[in-house]
Amino acid sequence: MSEIKVVSFDAEGTLVTPDFSYAVWFEAIPERYAERNGIDFELARKTVEEEYRKVGDQRLEWYDVRYWFDKLGLGTPDSVMETCRSKVCYYPEVGEVLASLSGKYKLVIASGSTRDFLNHLLRDIEPYFTRVFSSLTDYKQLKTSEFYLRVCQAMGVQPERVVHVGDNLQFDFVAPREIGIQAFYLDRKQQSDGRNALTSLIQLKAYLADADNK
Ligand SMILES: [Mg+2]
């Protein structure tokens, strides 16, 4: 096995829980929509969710909080996102794993979240990372194999020397494997029986320690 140089992490669902994003999309945005339109929260939430559905997650706009604030007539998102910051929450093993790996490897984020979200999501752990890549903000695409290739190029590293971990089977496992990255699917809820599925990042740390000793 090639020597590992870079360990790449997805952000949401991998390092940080979905609570912050949920609060932005399904609480703070409907709340502001309700205020602006003088309607009650439940109706606002229904209306906003219907608008989300019409666009759908295959279009890039779906992920773009600025697009939504504009479309729904809500001004700019910054202060609204700020009100949700207490919802940023890391999985229990994250601090320990990052502290331990950051001494041995270059750590990067390879995320599908936009930078508007990453700025909040990574606030307490950002110092561990050499680079933060957002497929949407930086390359205007979802996490495709091409995105991972761009990440490797930017890091000046061959894909075989990169390990990536994330909680989406297509975006974090299939796509990076297509170009030869050693990818691991993180299945925190243990819903799959995949051989390469990890249930916590502690297992990634163990795998790397093991690979190191070979
Ligand atoms: Mg994820």
Side-chain angles (χ1 to χ4, degrees), residues 10 12-14 167 172:
D10 168 54
E12 267 197 75
T14 300
D167 70 316
D172 295 303

